C-alpha cells in the first residue's frame, strides 16, 4: 500500500518519499543498492572506499574532514580522487522506472533521455520569453504558435532583427575604416597650418 502512494520503507522502517518516475526497489536488492548514509537509491555517480563499500556521490561530497568511509571508517582520499563504483552505477541504471509524462516502463538509465523527447511532455510556446504563458503537448504546439500573437510577432521581427545585426556589423566595419582616415586628415590639417604660417 505504501508503494502505491509513491513511498518506500527503509531498513529502519521509516517512510520516505520516492521520485514518482522511479519504482522503489524492494527487498534485498534495495538494501544492497541504497546508500548507507541517506538510505536512498540515488541516481548518478556512486563512490566507494578501498574496501568496496559504496555510497552516493552526494553524501560523499557532504562528509566532513577527516573524510572516512561511512561503513568501515577507513580514511578516504580527497573528493577529487574519489573511486567510482561503475558496477553499482550500472545496476542502479538497470532498475525499473516509468516516464512521468506517459507512464512508459523503462529503466532509470534511460528514463531521462526518453522524457526529454516524450510526446506527452508539456512544451512551452517558442515565444515564452516574449510573454506567452501557453504550455501544452508537442502535438498541439504548432497549431498554437500559428495563431499566438507573440509567436507571430517574433516571426515578423526575426528578419528585421537579422538585418539590424548585419547593419551594426557593417557600421562597425566602416567606423574601423574611418578612424585612420580621420587621423590622416587631422595630420594633414596640422601640416597645412604649418605651411600657412
Amino acid at each position: 500500500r505504501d508503494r502505491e502512494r509513491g513511498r518506500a520503507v527503509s531498513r529502519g522502517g521509516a517512510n520516505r518519499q520516492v521520485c514518482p518516475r522511479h519504482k522503489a526497489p524492494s527487498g534485498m536488492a534495495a538494501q544492497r543498492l541504497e546508500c548507507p548514509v541517506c538510505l536512498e537509491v540515488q541516481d548518478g555517480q556512486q563512490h566507494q572506499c578501498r574496501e568496496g563499500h559504496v555510497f552516493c556521490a552526494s553524501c560523499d561530497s557532504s562528509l566532513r574532514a577527516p573524510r572516512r568511509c561511512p561503513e568501515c571508517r577507513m580514511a578516504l582520499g580527497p573528493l577529487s580522487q574519489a573511486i567510482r563504483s561503475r558496477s553499482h552505477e550500472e545496476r542502479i541504471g538497470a532498475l525499473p522506472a516509468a516516464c512521468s509524462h506517459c507512464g512508459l516502463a523503462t529503466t532509470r538509465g534511460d528514463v531521462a533521455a526518453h522524457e526529454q523527447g516524450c510526446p506527452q511532455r508539456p512544451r512551452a510556446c517558442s515565444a515564452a520569453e516574449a510573454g506567452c504563458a501557453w504550455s501544452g503537448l508537442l502535438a498541439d504546439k504548432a497549431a498554437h504558435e500559428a495563431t499566438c500573437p507573440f509567436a507571430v510577432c517574433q516571426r515578423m521581427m526575426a528578419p528585421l532583427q537579422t538585418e539590424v545585426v548585419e547593419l551594426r556589423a557593417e557600421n562597425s566595419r566602416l567606423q574601423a575604416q574611418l578612424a585612420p582616415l580621420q587621423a590622416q586628415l587631422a595630420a594633414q590639417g596640422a601640416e597645412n597650418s604649418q605651411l600657412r604660417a
Side-chain angles (χ1 to χ4, degrees), residues 21-107:
R21 71 181 188 181
H22 295 156
K23 296 179 181 174
S26 58
M28 293 302 289
Q31 290 182 3
R32 285 193 300 270
L33 293 174
E34 70 184 14
C35 170
V37 180
C38 65
L39 302 178
E40 297 283 344
V41 180
Q42 298 283 357
D43 292 328
Q45 287 191 16
Q46 305 293 313
H47 294 173
Q48 65 182 14
C49 73
R50 288 192 298 274
E51 291 296 317
H53 299 121
V54 182
F55 35 92
C56 69
S58 175
C59 288
D60 190 13
S61 66
S62 64
L63 291 176
R64 294 183 186 156
R67 294 171 27 79
R68 296 191 176 277
C69 171
E71 291 276 355
C72 68
R73 310 306 296 158
M74 175 181 280
L76 299 170
L79 186 62
S80 60
Q81 297 173 3
I83 305 167
R84 283 181 66 179
S85 177
R86 307 277 183 176
S87 63
H88 213 75
E89 292 170 11
E90 287 173 10
R91 288 196 326 234
I92 290 173
L95 289 173
C99 173
S100 58
H101 307 300
C102 69
L104 176 77
T106 181
T107 63

Side-chain angles (χ1 to χ4, degrees), residues 97-147:
C99 173
S100 58
H101 307 300
C102 69
L104 176 77
T106 181
T107 63
R108 282 194 179 196
D110 296 333
V111 71
H114 165 78
E115 286 185 344
Q116 189 61 32
C118 178
Q120 297 296 317
R121 180 173 68 90
R123 305 302 208 278
C125 175
S126 62
E129 288 184 9
C132 179
W134 180 89
S135 178
L137 299 180
L138 180 62
D140 302 329
K141 185 176 177 184
H144 162 76
E145 289 179 357
T147 58

Side-chain angles (χ1 to χ4, degrees), residues 149-187:
F150 293 102
V152 170
C153 185
Q154 270 192 337
R155 285 194 298 275
M156 292 172 60
M157 292 292 292
L160 296 174
Q161 288 172 331
T162 303
E163 189 176 345
V164 166
V165 169
E166 290 170 355
L167 288 171
R168 282 182 179 159
E170 177 70 9
N171 186 34
S172 297
R173 187 181 64 78
L174 291 172
Q175 283 184 341
Q177 289 178 350
L178 181 62
L181 292 173
Q182 286 176 325
Q184 189 179 353
L185 183 61

